[in-house]
Amino acid sequence: MKPKDEKKLDAVVAATCRMAAERGLLGLTLGEIAKAAGIGTSTLYVYFADKVALFNEVYRRAKREAMDFYGGEIDPSAPIKSRVRNVWNRMLDHRLRQHDAVSFMEQFTGSAYMTEESRDFTAKIGEGLLQIVAEGQQQEILKTIPVAYLASFFIGSVRETTRMIRAGTITDSEESRAVAFQLCWDAIRS
Amino acid sequence: MKPKDEKKLDAVVAATCRMAAERGLLGLTLGEIAKAAGIGTSTLYVYFADKVALFNEVYRRAKREAMDFYGGEIDPSAPIKSRVRNVWNRMLDHRLRQHDAVSFMEQFTGSAYMTEESRDFTAKIGEGLLQIVAEGQQQEILKTIPVAYLASFFIGSVRETTRMIRAGTITDSEESRAVAFQLCWDAIRS
Amino acid sequence: MKPKDEKKLDAVVAATCRMAAERGLLGLTLGEIAKAAGIGTSTLYVYFADKVALFNEVYRRAKREAMDFYGGEIDPSAPIKSRVRNVWNRMLDHRLRQHDAVSFMEQFTGSAYMTEESRDFTAKIGEGLLQIVAEGQQQEILKTIPVAYLASFFIGSVRETTRMIRAGTITDSEESRAVAFQLCWDAIRS
Amino acid sequence: MKPKDEKKLDAVVAATCRMAAERGLLGLTLGEIAKAAGIGTSTLYVYFADKVALFNEVYRRAKREAMDFYGGEIDPSAPIKSRVRNVWNRMLDHRLRQHDAVSFMEQFTGSAYMTEESRDFTAKIGEGLLQIVAEGQQQEILKTIPVAYLASFFIGSVRETTRMIRAGTITDSEESRAVAFQLCWDAIRS
DNA sequence: TATGAATGAGCCTTCATTCAT
DNA sequence: TATGAATGAAGGCTCATTCAT
């Protein structure tokens, strides 16, 4: 891509996520994306090689943004539980605020569009979280079982909580977050 | 006159799920489905009105099968924890064994193909589980918080465990199941 | 065709004409015809080799019926004008009463479905009329110009009168017929 | 940006009429039309929403062209008969020269393709002719009967004459036209 | 760079026709 | 004989992509 006009590119990415969240990735056409982004269809080819490239770029941007969101500094002197809660809240915030991007990613992941390159890109996250978990296990605050269990449950907890909030099953408040996080914490603590 | 071939229909349903799991629902064509089912493309129209009808029928069948799988009797005299573990294992078994159908359902749910009728169809599940949860709350064994939290976390636990097993992150053994379930149980017990 | 069941065959012919008149020959399917005739689609192949054969047979039957309708004896001792009026009325009657068949014929004639054989079949009509015209010319009652002019105008007169009646532009009564025929007569008389 | 090519549109319209006249409207495919027009099939969709829209647009163009052809000024000071002959000749000319378009219109009219909009479009013609007829009736030159009879016969006369010429039954010459028109005139004059 | 026109590939769907009972 | 099932061929239409301005 030739990022001549960065704003136009942003518009395309945003439009793609929005449409994917609204109408679904299924049958989403370049024409729709272009119209939603306010440009001509063939202009897309100035920025992306083809549809697959466009989707993968959108994915990579969304992923990077998510990482930036999670990755902010967390006071290493704070107690483990506080730090875990901190990450948990950040992830929840991200999934709620950047819903379009998250929706796009979830639909895109596992689709035939996904490049091997993009697949690799996925793995590199959560290092900050892993750090905390390792420390928590050393201090015997968290269950001393393979990290995968803890990480997976942690993510699952965030995912399900987001789902409930978005479905209206529960409202997003400090209380409900406290309850939901308590489940998560009870699961992973030793 | 040649009677309608029930086996052919089953083959179509199975093929649809298989292809959806392998290549994704995105861009899955009737041609591919028909070839995978070993019939001519136009033969599909003997059994289904159109593509949407086909997908929705596959969905309904998968859902019904899942319900049958979960819905078996569970000894009501057994302790709560045992019963919860029982359901947890059944769901895990189902998701592992009927992975194609589950994968199809997860992709189909929320897609533009989904009929309102099919959407309604979805709601009626999990009553057996809710029964157990209610009893567990009465006995103060489970957290006395809105059921949605517990159910959602429970489902999330199964989902994530399936994911880990299928991804090869962990193997499917009694030990790993015990560990994974312990996380779930610690989360929901009071 | 194997006319095992003559009634069934008649039903097919009638159904074909009816559907052609109602919905048009364009896109008329064997399925529709069969359903309208109250038989299974593939049963048509017991009576006709294929769709083209069916249409041509229907055409030939309609044509034959029309000829029978026109061809009744006309008192040769009656005055020319009376005999011409007689034929004119008969043709008008036919086009009004057997509208389905006539509609089918007009749509079929010139269509790609029409066999050379059927095309030849067409020519042989109107001999009774030609007889009268010839006599009228000998007696110098009709214009002594090539018969084609007279015949063509005569047919055109019937056709247009039918059109007007069916369109509701005029009603079918003795008076209106008298007026319409007068035009025809004035045109062809010497 | 490439501008829409008006010539391409004309080619499509002409090709459609030609094919309809040659092979019949029945079963005329977009592929045939496109090939005859020298463009790709999908290019048709740049100019028309779908097949129905294409046909209706062709119809409207043909109709408009016909009206332009008829509608030229006719010296109002000329005698009625001369003016009627004038119109008669113009219509005959049009039907002979623009045979493709006329053939298309006749097949299209009453077909299932015809839009209500196009149907309305049809009614507005022949006002010039009606004017002359009315004047002829006032002067008691034409039969004082409802105009529909006269108009219908007039049209029928042109139609049949065209048919004869095209079929080779008669040749197109001043003499044959004189004969044919005489029939028409005798029919409608008082 | 930006974009509407142009198009080939491919999909869903229909339908005449054959198969099998 | 009669018919529903099965299907290949073909048509209308969409869309990602290229062309030309």
Side-chain angles (χ1 to χ4, degrees):
Chain A
M1 79 228 111
K2 302 150 196 162
K4 183 72 181 187
D5 190 340
E6 191 68 27
K7 284 194 180 171
K8 212 161 279 185
L9 214 162
D10 287 343
V12 171
V13 172
T16 303
C17 289
R18 180 153 30 91
M19 302 301 282
E22 282 176 17
R23 312 206 201 300
L25 202 60
L26 197 78
L28 183 56
T29 69
L30 291 182
E32 287 177 278
I33 293 172
K35 186 184 287 184
I39 64 174
T41 305
S42 45
T43 308
L44 290 174
Y45 287 85
V46 175
Y47 296 91
F48 307 97
D50 57 15
K51 200 187 187 185
V52 172
L54 187 157
F55 278 176
N56 279 279
E57 176 62 18
V58 171
Y59 176 75
R60 243 168 284 140
R61 287 194 165 223
K63 206 76 191 179
R64 205 174 300 131
E65 203 174 339
M67 284 160 63
D68 291 351
F69 204 106
Y70 304 158
E73 272 309 297
I74 291 189
D75 180 7
S77 66
I80 292 291
K81 184 175 181 182
S82 162
R83 280 146 75 190
V84 171
R85 188 196 294 115
N86 212 322
V87 175
W88 192 88
N89 272 307
R90 277 192 197 175
M91 292 184 77
L92 188 60
D93 280 338
H94 176 259
R95 293 182 84 91
L96 288 172
R97 291 187 199 160
Q98 307 291 335
H99 173 254
D100 287 355
V102 172
S103 175
F104 173 85
M105 282 192 287
E106 300 223 319
Q107 293 182 69
F108 181 74
T109 303
S111 85
Y113 285 133
M114 200 172 188
T115 304
E116 201 57 45
E117 205 175 349
S118 290
R119 220 171 288 276
D120 295 342
F121 197 86
T122 310
K124 307 175 187 167
I125 349 159
E127 298 181 358
L129 178 58
L130 293 184
Q131 181 71 24
I132 298 172
V133 169
E135 202 176 323
Q137 289 184 318
Q138 277 180 343
Q139 299 177 25
E140 296 190 7
I141 295 173
L142 299 182
K143 286 189 170 75
T144 49
I145 56 179
V147 187
Y149 290 97
L150 302 179
S152 187
F153 270 80
F154 182 86
I155 302 279
S157 167
V158 175
R159 200 193 308 269
E160 292 295 330
T161 306
T162 313
R163 198 187 300 254
M164 282 193 287
I165 291 174
R166 286 200 52 86
T169 310
I170 63 174
T171 57
D172 186 16
S173 64
E174 270 192 40
E175 290 78 26
S176 56
R177 284 196 178 206
V179 173
F181 177 70
Q182 190 60 43
L183 284 164
C184 178
W185 181 252
D186 286 343
I188 61 178
R189 78 167 174 201
S190 79
Chain B
M1 182 196 69
K2 212 192 298 179
K4 262 191 197 177
D5 192 342
E6 190 67 27
K7 286 190 180 170
K8 210 158 279 184
L9 211 162
D10 288 342
V12 170
V13 172
T16 304
C17 289
R18 180 153 30 91
M19 301 302 283
E22 282 176 16
R23 310 206 201 300
L25 198 62
L26 204 77
L28 182 56
T29 71
L30 292 183
E32 287 177 279
I33 293 172
K35 185 183 286 183
I39 63 174
T41 306
S42 53
T43 308
L44 291 174
Y45 287 84
V46 175
Y47 295 91
F48 307 97
D50 57 14
K51 200 186 188 186
V52 172
L54 187 156
F55 278 173
N56 278 279
E57 177 62 19
V58 171
Y59 175 75
R60 245 168 279 141
R61 288 194 166 223
K63 205 77 192 178
R64 208 175 297 132
E65 205 175 335
M67 284 160 63
D68 292 351
F69 203 106
Y70 302 159
E73 271 310 295
I74 290 189
D75 181 6
S77 66
I80 291 291
K81 183 174 181 183
S82 160
R83 280 147 76 191
V84 171
R85 188 197 294 113
N86 210 322
V87 175
W88 192 88
N89 271 304
R90 277 192 196 174
M91 292 184 77
L92 188 60
D93 280 337
H94 177 259
R95 293 182 84 91
L96 287 173
R97 292 187 199 162
Q98 308 290 336
H99 173 255
D100 287 356
V102 171
S103 175
F104 173 85
M105 282 192 288
E106 299 222 322
Q107 292 182 69
F108 181 74
T109 304
S111 85
Y113 285 135
M114 200 172 190
T115 304
E116 201 56 45
E117 210 174 344
S118 289
R119 221 169 285 277
D120 295 343
F121 198 86
T122 309
K124 308 173 187 170
I125 339 162
E127 299 180 0
L129 178 58
L130 293 184
Q131 180 72 24
I132 298 172
V133 169
E135 204 176 321
Q137 289 186 316
Q138 276 180 342
Q139 297 177 26
E140 297 190 4
I141 295 172
L142 299 182
K143 286 191 171 74
T144 50
I145 56 178
V147 187
Y149 291 96
L150 303 179
S152 189
F153 207 96
F154 181 87
I155 302 278
S157 166
V158 175
R159 201 192 309 267
E160 292 295 331
T161 306
T162 314
R163 199 187 301 252
M164 283 192 288
I165 292 174
R166 286 199 52 84
T169 311
I170 63 175
T171 57
D172 185 16
S173 65
E174 268 191 44
E175 290 75 27
S176 59
R177 283 194 181 209
V179 172
F181 178 71
Q182 191 60 45
L183 285 164
C184 177
W185 178 252
D186 285 344
I188 62 179
R189 79 167 172 200
S190 79
Chain C
M1 82 226 111
K2 301 151 197 163
K4 183 74 182 186
D5 189 340
E6 191 66 29
K7 284 193 179 171
K8 212 161 277 186
L9 211 161
D10 287 344
V12 170
V13 172
T16 304
C17 289
R18 180 154 32 90
M19 302 301 282
E22 282 176 16
R23 310 206 203 301
L25 202 60
L26 198 79
L28 183 55
T29 69
L30 292 183
E32 286 177 282
I33 293 172
K35 185 184 286 185
I39 63 174
T41 305
S42 47
T43 308
L44 290 173
Y45 287 84
V46 176
Y47 295 92
F48 307 97
D50 57 15
K51 199 187 188 186
V52 172
L54 187 157
F55 277 176
N56 279 279
E57 176 61 20
V58 171
Y59 176 75
R60 245 169 279 138
R61 287 195 165 222
K63 206 77 192 180
R64 205 175 298 130
E65 203 175 337
M67 284 161 62
D68 292 351
F69 204 106
Y70 303 159
E73 270 310 294
I74 291 190
D75 181 7
S77 66
I80 291 292
K81 183 175 182 183
S82 161
R83 281 148 74 191
V84 171
R85 189 195 294 113
N86 211 321
V87 176
W88 192 89
N89 271 305
R90 278 193 196 174
M91 291 183 76
L92 189 60
D93 281 338
H94 176 258
R95 294 182 83 91
L96 289 172
R97 291 185 200 163
Q98 308 290 336
H99 174 253
D100 286 356
V102 171
S103 176
F104 172 85
M105 283 192 289
E106 301 222 319
Q107 291 183 70
F108 182 74
T109 303
S111 86
Y113 286 133
M114 200 171 188
T115 304
E116 203 55 46
E117 206 175 349
S118 289
R119 221 170 284 277
D120 296 343
F121 198 86
T122 312
K124 307 174 186 170
I125 348 159
E127 297 182 358
L129 178 58
L130 293 184
Q131 182 70 25
I132 298 172
V133 168
E135 203 176 321
Q137 289 185 316
Q138 276 179 342
Q139 296 178 27
E140 296 190 4
I141 294 173
L142 300 181
K143 287 189 170 73
T144 51
I145 56 177
V147 187
Y149 292 97
L150 303 178
S152 187
F153 206 95
F154 181 87
I155 302 280
S157 167
V158 175
R159 200 191 310 267
E160 291 295 331
T161 307
T162 313
R163 197 186 301 252
M164 282 194 287
I165 291 174
R166 286 200 52 85
T169 311
I170 64 174
T171 58
D172 185 16
S173 65
E174 269 191 41
E175 291 76 28
S176 59
R177 284 195 179 207
V179 172
F181 178 70
Q182 190 61 43
L183 285 163
C184 177
W185 180 251
D186 286 344
I188 64 178
R189 79 168 174 198
S190 81
Chain D
M1 183 193 68
K2 213 193 294 179
K4 260 193 197 176
D5 192 343
E6 190 66 28
K7 287 191 178 170
K8 211 159 278 184
L9 211 163
D10 288 343
V12 170
V13 172
T16 304
C17 289
R18 180 153 31 91
M19 301 302 282
E22 282 176 17
R23 310 205 203 301
L25 198 62
L26 204 76
L28 182 56
T29 70
L30 292 181
E32 287 177 279
I33 293 172
K35 186 184 287 185
I39 62 173
T41 305
S42 53
T43 308
L44 291 174
Y45 287 85
V46 175
Y47 295 91
F48 307 96
D50 56 16
K51 200 186 188 188
V52 171
L54 186 158
F55 279 174
N56 278 278
E57 177 61 20
V58 171
Y59 175 75
R60 243 168 283 141
R61 286 195 167 223
K63 206 77 192 180
R64 207 174 298 131
E65 204 174 337
M67 283 160 63
D68 291 350
F69 203 105
Y70 303 159
E73 271 309 296
I74 290 190
D75 180 7
S77 65
I80 292 291
K81 184 175 180 180
S82 161
R83 281 146 76 190
V84 171
R85 188 197 294 114
N86 210 322
V87 175
W88 191 88
N89 271 305
R90 277 192 196 174
M91 291 184 77
L92 189 60
D93 281 338
H94 176 259
R95 294 182 84 92
L96 287 172
R97 291 185 200 163
Q98 309 288 336
H99 172 254
D100 287 356
V102 172
S103 175
F104 172 85
M105 282 192 287
E106 300 222 322
Q107 293 182 70
F108 181 75
T109 304
S111 84
Y113 286 133
M114 200 172 188
T115 304
E116 201 57 44
E117 210 175 345
S118 289
R119 221 170 286 278
D120 295 343
F121 197 86
T122 310
K124 308 174 186 168
I125 342 159
E127 298 181 359
L129 179 58
L130 293 184
Q131 180 71 25
I132 298 172
V133 170
E135 202 175 323
Q137 288 185 317
Q138 276 180 341
Q139 298 177 25
E140 297 188 5
I141 295 173
L142 299 181
K143 286 191 171 75
T144 51
I145 57 178
V147 186
Y149 291 96
L150 303 178
S152 188
F153 269 81
F154 182 87
I155 303 279
S157 167
V158 175
R159 201 192 310 265
E160 292 295 330
T161 305
T162 313
R163 197 187 303 254
M164 283 192 288
I165 292 174
R166 287 198 51 85
T169 311
I170 64 174
T171 56
D172 186 16
S173 65
E174 269 191 41
E175 291 76 26
S176 57
R177 284 195 178 208
V179 173
F181 178 70
Q182 192 60 43
L183 285 163
C184 177
W185 180 252
D186 286 344
I188 62 178
R189 79 168 176 200
S190 80

